[in-house]
Amino acid sequence: IIGRPQGKGLPALGKLYYDAQDLLDLIEGASFEFARLAEQTPTDQTLPTALVSGDFYVRWDEFANDKLVRRLNQCGVRVFMEPITLFSEYLVEMRSREVFGFPTAPVVNTLQKTGMTHMRRIAYQRARLHNAWLADCEIGPALDQAKDVFDRYPEGEAPVSIASTLHHWRAGNCDGVVMAGPWGCPAALITEGLLRHQRDIPILFIYADGSPIPQRQISSFAHRLKRALPATA
């Protein structure tokens, strides 16, 4: 879908619409197949859910994070990932020219923000047709709700990770958080420095430096989440 020729003018707008529909169909199909996996592996236990946040390169790349998500799954933890689009929406929300060069003029900026937000909402609606547990986040309200912990400045990934973590935890969307970042990254260190004080949130801080992540770290975190779940009859 991404590799299709774009074209120009009105035909390009029509193509954009059909590409979006194909993308949404792809998301819904993936959601259906993912739900089938749960049906094929029934369990009598309630699975804890973890949010994976932090640097978007590290958290998404299996090589960088040493197959973090798969290893959490193997320990019986259900995972949902903070989407890269949340950082893009944050840059538009802050009218920042950093990284992607999004428009900052009031009218064009508003149109960009509205379009991005609308597309994300629709995508999550389609994904939740078969996975109702999948949680979403609105970056503007999340930043406002996190004012008791940090200011919006300086701009960068730290405010996004902190706001996302606090939003999902307070909304009851997750039982714990994994914060993945590159070794020595200032944004990751700021995030840890502020979230360390949130004693009620189980958080595993992981720094990728090319070394394997010890299995005991992941297993210990998974055990902590499971132990905190309410007992089932």
Side-chain angles (χ1 to χ4, degrees):
I1 295 172
I2 294 173
R4 294 172 183 170
Q6 291 300 308
K8 297 181 180 179
L10 289 178
L13 292 177
K15 176 189 173 300
L16 182 62
Y17 172 80
Y18 287 109
D19 284 353
Q21 296 308 308
D22 287 345
L23 177 60
L24 293 172
D25 289 342
L26 184 66
I27 290 172
E28 184 177 342
S31 176
F32 174 76
E33 292 297 333
F34 189 83
R36 286 184 60 192
L37 292 176
E39 295 175 358
Q40 294 169 4
T41 55
T43 176
D44 57 356
Q45 297 179 331
T46 300
L47 298 179
T49 301
L51 164 70
V52 174
S53 181
D55 180 86
F56 55 77
Y57 290 113
V58 174
R59 72 172 181 265
W60 281 99
D61 187 84
E62 281 197 333
F63 177 79
N65 62 41
D66 196 19
K67 298 184 178 180
L68 173 64
V69 174
R70 295 178 186 271
R71 292 168 66 186
L72 285 167
N73 293 158
Q74 291 168 357
C75 290
V77 177
R78 184 170 58 181
V79 174
F80 70 100
M81 193 88 69
E82 181 185 293
I84 296 176
T85 55
L86 196 64
F87 183 63
S88 301
E89 291 180 47
Y90 164 78
L91 293 176
V92 175
E93 175 78 19
M94 302 299 288
R95 296 175 66 178
S96 172
R97 293 185 181 274
E98 297 293 329
V99 187
F100 301 119
F102 290 128
T104 58
V107 174
V108 184
N109 175 268
T110 300
L111 291 174
Q112 176 90 39
K113 181 165 57 176
T114 301
M116 293 173 69
T117 302
H118 178 68
M119 188 63 189
R120 174 181 46 76
R121 288 174 179 171
I122 294 177
Y124 268 81
Q125 286 174 3
R126 296 289 286 271
R128 277 196 289 261
L129 288 175
H130 304 287
N131 293 277
W133 60 272
L134 186 61
D136 196 5
C137 179
E138 300 283 345
I139 189 60
L143 289 169
D144 291 336
Q145 293 170 9
K147 284 182 178 179
D148 59 325
V149 175
F150 73 100
D151 196 355
R152 291 195 178 195
Y153 300 96
E155 297 175 7
E157 278 192 305
V160 180
S161 299
I162 296 169
S164 175
T165 294
L166 296 175
H167 163 76
H168 286 298
W169 175 257
R170 291 169 178 174
N173 297 330
C174 62
D175 301 295
V177 177
V178 179
M179 197 63 62
W183 180 257
C185 174
L189 295 172
I190 291 171
T191 301
E192 179 177 3
L194 291 172
L195 288 180
R196 279 285 184 191
H197 300 284
Q198 303 298 311
R199 301 292 187 184
D200 57 329
I201 309 177
I203 306 178
L204 173 62
F205 295 96
I206 288 178
Y207 291 93
D209 64 354
S211 303
I213 299 173
Q215 181 60 38
R216 62 178 180 79
Q217 280 187 280
I218 297 175
S219 300
S220 176
F221 178 72
H223 177 71
R224 181 183 177 189
L225 298 190
K226 293 177 181 178
R227 189 176 56 184
L229 290 177
T232 56

